[in-house]
Amino acid sequence: MSEFIMDRLSQLLGRVKPGDPIVLEGRDIPSVAKFLKSDECKNVFLMVGAGISTSAGIPDFRSPDTGLYANLAKLHLPYPEAVFDIRYFSQNPKPFYTLAAELYPGYYRPTITHSFIRLLAEKGKLYTCFTQNIDTLERRAGVPVEKIFEAHGSFATQRCIKCKTEYPTEEMMQHVKKAEVPHCNSEGCDGVVKPDIVFFGEGLPDTFESAIRNLEEADLLIIMGTSLTVYPFAALRSMVPAKCPRVLINLDRVGDIGARADDVALLMACDEAVRKLCDEIGDGWTEDLERLWAETENSYTPRSAEEPSVIGKGDKAKVKEGKLPNNPHLEDEVARIAKMVEEKMKVGDEEAGPSKEDKPAAAEEPQPAEPAEVSAASAKPEPSGAPKAGAETPALEKPAAVAELAGATHPTPHYEDGELSVPQTKPSEEGPEGGDK
């Protein structure tokens, strides 16, 4: 329900009726490759999520069986997302640092998809890579730091949550390797140190609003390995110009991809898709891609197979049984978003005029055109290691429940001063563009 409402808002803010492709020759890999190679495609923007790192051995967050949230019972959390909840972290940071010891940068090699991002930069095509990932694998692959926008922060820096003093990286690494909680070195503080990762309940980086304005310059948007359920990040897909082709590379169709004339869905593993694109482009792109990936071979130290893993299997059943409840802290925030969205929808429907029949607003929406699909089987990595026993952690006080919007899928809202704003971009001839902050 909540995901539908957020997608509905994105369509209201950037609605374009689908039809035959306008910019691309077709909705397939050869057409995307031809456009990417052309002089008309100068500014490529990327939106990437955990799916581009799964082949490196890092689990994504929301896959039902292999995702991180479905496999954290060993941390004895009150709800899976609590491991990244700022309120819970302030009370008990130990579960996060137990998990961080396994996910900390340095244990994983960048994937060939990360090297593809670097290749786009070397070819002079990459404008900005917006990433939800905190694993810093874009940096390790050699993507220029100025081309990366880490929307949810990363492990690259850290600071005290109390006095905000930065904490030395070397000391942080030593604490994380031992799964120990670091404390501030400042005299008289002793606050808990946290990586500069955006937790639930925290605002996005101050530079987010200025960075998303550049999306008006996009010639091509490539969306890879993301469920497009985490807002406001997911709304970026609606902030590119109406004439900008949007290419989804993912195992599943997500969001509103297909609502625009030049939308393409390549339903396959990210690594397979980027190789196919480079093969189709030719002119040495495949050789350059493999060369850049080969350079990452010594960029990491793999975890020992004997090291126990906090990420286990089998928690999905416990979620169904109610033993791992959904995040109650987000329910009020989801309700607040829903109220704002409903107001936006009401305004949009009033501008469209009264309907002939008494139907919900969603029924009046034209159905998105089905983009061509390219499907391929893809095996997901299985979490490894044996579970490690842990102590029970204190639960958070549960806010007021919101019945229908508190389902299994939660968008992850972020606020500044308790409000979610919708920055407006310059309208195009085809229709207004905009999205959530």
Side-chain angles (χ1 to χ4, degrees):
M1 174 65 179
S2 54
E3 182 180 352
F4 160 75
I5 293 177
M6 299 307 288
D7 284 337
R8 175 80 164 94
L9 174 60
S10 295
Q11 293 170 13
L12 287 173
L13 293 173
R15 184 184 297 156
V16 178
K17 291 184 178 181
D20 293 333
I22 299 171
V23 177
L24 303 177
E25 292 184 357
R27 300 188 181 104
D28 51 24
I29 286 177
S31 300
V32 174
K34 183 176 182 179
F35 180 68
L36 180 57
K37 181 181 177 180
S38 72
D39 293 336
E40 287 73 30
C41 183
K42 296 182 174 66
N43 299 325
V44 178
F45 285 76
L46 300 179
M47 292 174 61
V48 301
I52 73 169
S53 297
T54 53
S55 63
I58 303 175
D60 65 13
F61 287 85
R62 291 176 173 79
S63 291
D65 296 307
T66 61
L68 185 65
Y69 290 150
N71 292 285
L72 289 181
K74 288 72 189 172
L75 294 181
H76 300 278
L77 299 166
Y79 49 90
E81 296 93 337
V83 72
F84 292 116
D85 189 304
I86 189 59
R87 293 197 314 159
Y88 190 80
F89 178 87
S90 299
Q91 294 179 19
N92 182 13
K94 182 64 177 177
F96 169 78
Y97 278 102
T98 303
L99 177 63
E102 184 161 331
L103 298 182
Y104 199 70
Y107 288 132
Y108 302 96
R109 179 186 180 182
T111 68
I112 201 160
T113 300
H114 292 99
S115 294
F116 175 72
I117 300 172
R118 179 182 171 186
L119 179 61
L120 290 176
E122 292 200 352
K123 297 292 185 182
K125 298 282 188 178
L126 181 64
Y127 195 108
T128 300
C129 173
F130 288 95
T131 177
Q132 295 173 279
N133 299 336
I134 61 176
D135 53 35
T136 71
L137 289 185
E138 295 89 1
R139 296 175 182 236
R140 288 184 171 272
V143 180
V145 174
E146 66 272 14
K147 297 290 186 180
I148 306 170
F149 190 91
E150 293 161 331
H152 295 167
S154 75
F155 279 105
T157 55
Q158 52 281 320
R159 68 195 67 244
C160 173
I161 65 173
K162 184 177 179 182
C163 71
K164 308 304 179 185
T165 300
E166 291 191 17
Y167 190 78
T169 299
E170 277 300 319
E171 292 186 34
M172 184 70 169
M173 290 177 62
Q174 294 306 314
H175 281 286
V176 170
K177 286 180 179 179
K178 299 175 183 177
E180 296 176 348
V181 178
H183 290 268
C184 184
N185 293 330
S186 298
E187 186 176 354
C189 180
D190 198 41
V192 175
V193 173
K194 180 181 80 68
D196 290 333
I197 296 168
V198 179
F199 277 31
F200 296 135
E202 293 186 302
L204 290 178
D206 294 336
T207 53
F208 182 73
E209 186 170 351
S210 59
I212 63 179
R213 292 195 185 107
N214 295 327
L215 287 163
E216 295 177 350
E217 306 298 323
D219 297 316
L220 175 66
L221 175 66
I222 302 177
I223 304 166
M224 296 192 289
T226 173
S227 61
L228 290 180
T229 58
V230 179
Y231 283 82
F233 183 90
L236 300 187
R237 69 183 187 269
S238 297
M239 299 182 68
V240 296
K243 63 182 180 180
C244 174
R246 303 186 302 177
V247 179
L248 172 69
I249 300 175
N250 204 48
L251 293 177
D252 303 301
R253 186 190 302 279
V254 294
D256 63 345
I257 301 302
R260 295 188 180 188
D262 288 289
D263 282 356
V264 180
L266 306 179
L267 304 185
M268 62 178 65
C270 296
D271 291 349
E272 180 182 359
V274 299
R275 279 192 165 107
K276 287 179 179 291
L277 275 173
C278 289
D279 288 345
E280 188 67 36
I281 292 173
D283 288 345
W285 276 59
T286 297
E287 292 76 11
D288 289 341
L289 177 65
E290 298 293 344
R291 171 181 56 82
L292 293 179
W293 191 47
E295 292 179 8
T296 69
E297 187 173 1
N298 299 317
S299 66
Y300 73 114
T301 303
R303 289 176 58 85
S304 168
E306 287 74 31
E307 292 183 78
S309 172
V310 72
I311 304 173
K313 302 182 200 177
D315 295 357
K316 183 181 177 184
K318 293 186 179 182
V319 173
K320 288 183 177 180
E321 294 169 9
K323 295 180 181 179
L324 286 177
N326 293 309
N327 186 345
H329 177 46
L330 293 181
E331 294 175 357
D332 286 343
E333 298 192 38
V334 172
R336 186 160 45 191
I337 286 182
K339 182 177 180 181
M340 181 273 291
V341 171
E342 287 171 358
E343 292 174 355
K344 293 284 184 183
M345 291 171 63
K346 183 177 180 181
V347 170
D349 292 335
E350 288 176 352
E351 290 176 352
S355 59
K356 295 181 180 180
E357 301 178 33
D358 186 14
K359 295 181 179 179
E364 299 295 320
E365 284 295 303
Q367 293 297 315
E370 291 292 315
E373 298 179 5
V374 183
S375 302
S378 174
K380 297 183 179 180
E382 289 291 332
S384 61
K388 191 173 184 178
E392 291 288 342
T393 55
L396 296 175
E397 180 181 352
K398 184 175 181 178
V402 179
E404 191 168 7
L405 294 180
T409 301
H410 295 285
T412 307
H414 298 278
Y415 293 92
E416 293 290 345
D417 299 326
E419 295 295 329
L420 176 68
S421 61
V422 183
Q424 298 295 320
T425 59
K426 187 186 299 182
S428 66
E429 294 181 0
E430 292 83 354
E433 294 293 321
D436 298 45
K437 176 181 176 184

